[in-house]
Amino acid sequence: MIFFFLNVLEWRSQYEKVNGDDSPILGPYDYYSLMHYEIRAPGTDLPAFEVLRKSINHSRIGQRVAQTHNDKHKIKRLYR
């Protein structure tokens, strides 16, 4: 993923990279997570980031329909 820092005028701190030490708790990166931001930067029509993996469906990033399997797994691990 490439982050376009100059396109994000609001909420920049929300786009900071998570410490790698947290990955065992959080698991693999989930582009389709209910908590993932959409590609468009807040308050603009500009992209906040670009996904480099070709297998990712861009239309599903930032979805608000349902929790993913990974969302449920993370909740269980964090709140047991």
Side-chain angles (χ1 to χ4, degrees), residues 16-31:
E16 291 178 4
K17 189 174 182 178
V18 174
N19 185 325
D21 296 339
D22 293 335
S23 60
I25 295 170
L26 298 176
Y29 194 85
D30 186 359
Y31 288 96

Side-chain angles (χ1 to χ4, degrees), residues 3-74:
F3 178 66
F4 301 120
F5 188 76
L6 295 177
N7 290 352
V8 178
L9 305 175
E10 301 173 14
W11 303 97
R12 279 190 181 163
S13 65
Q14 298 297 312
Y15 288 86
E16 291 178 4
K17 189 174 182 178
V18 174
N19 185 325
D21 296 339
D22 293 335
S23 60
I25 295 170
L26 298 176
Y29 194 85
D30 186 359
Y31 288 96
Y32 306 136
S33 170
L34 187 67
M35 299 298 294
H36 201 292
Y37 289 115
E38 60 182 307
I39 292 176
R40 190 172 45 98
T44 75
D45 286 329
L46 301 171
F49 56 89
E50 179 182 345
V51 177
L52 300 176
R53 290 179 53 194
K54 302 291 184 205
S55 61
I56 300 299
N57 180 343
H58 292 136
S59 68
R60 291 184 53 205
I61 297 174
Q63 64 85 20
R64 299 295 179 256
V65 177
Q67 295 174 338
T68 64
H69 172 75
N70 287 335
D71 285 334
K72 293 174 186 176
H73 178 73
K74 289 174 189 180

